[in-house]
Amino acid sequence: PDLVVTKTSSETALNLGDTATFTIDAQNIGGGDAWNTTILDEIPVGMCDYDPTAGSGVNAQIFEADGVTLVSTLDQAANDYSVTYSSATCQLSLTMESAAAVIGPSQHLIITYQSQLDADITQDGLALTNVAGATQWFSGDSSFTGRRQYDRTPLTDGTPGIVDFQDSETVTT
């Protein structure tokens, strides 16, 4: 397995009270399944107060190579994945946990959530950059002792323009 991540937003500019949808697309460009994938999203200071797990929450789905044909809708309540958010560190973390959450060759794991500006943001034109990446995945399930572990940490600036395990998206206040 080899994961590449693309980060996008429904908005390029945000005003106080506006909500933007953020999408993380982790595609497996490798030849084997990616198991127990962990996605880390470093939300920028200025957007930390809003809990992306609240409201409509975080949604995760697996799609075929075309990015449109649905393979499975993952259910957090069914333990397909776990999600945590810390406003202290501004980090959203998701870990795929079930066989339904395996990303097959050419398939996409697509994660969506909403966020908004912190109430104390008053400066116009401030660029807030969000960095997300696939930080860990495995070549087999946890019962396979010979499985390989892939670690891609730490996240940096999202490596704009480079197709790899991380990406960034900037919105302007």
Side-chain angles (χ1 to χ4, degrees), residues 36-51:
N36 305 106
T37 300
T38 297
I39 303 292
L40 181 63
D41 193 349
E42 296 178 343
I43 295 171
V45 172
M47 297 181 76
C48 296
D49 293 346
Y50 186 87
D51 182 350

Side-chain angles (χ1 to χ4, degrees), residues 52-70:
T53 65
S56 61
V58 177
N59 298 299
Q61 298 175 303
I62 304 285
F63 290 88
E64 290 293 352
D66 62 9
V68 176
T69 305
L70 182 65

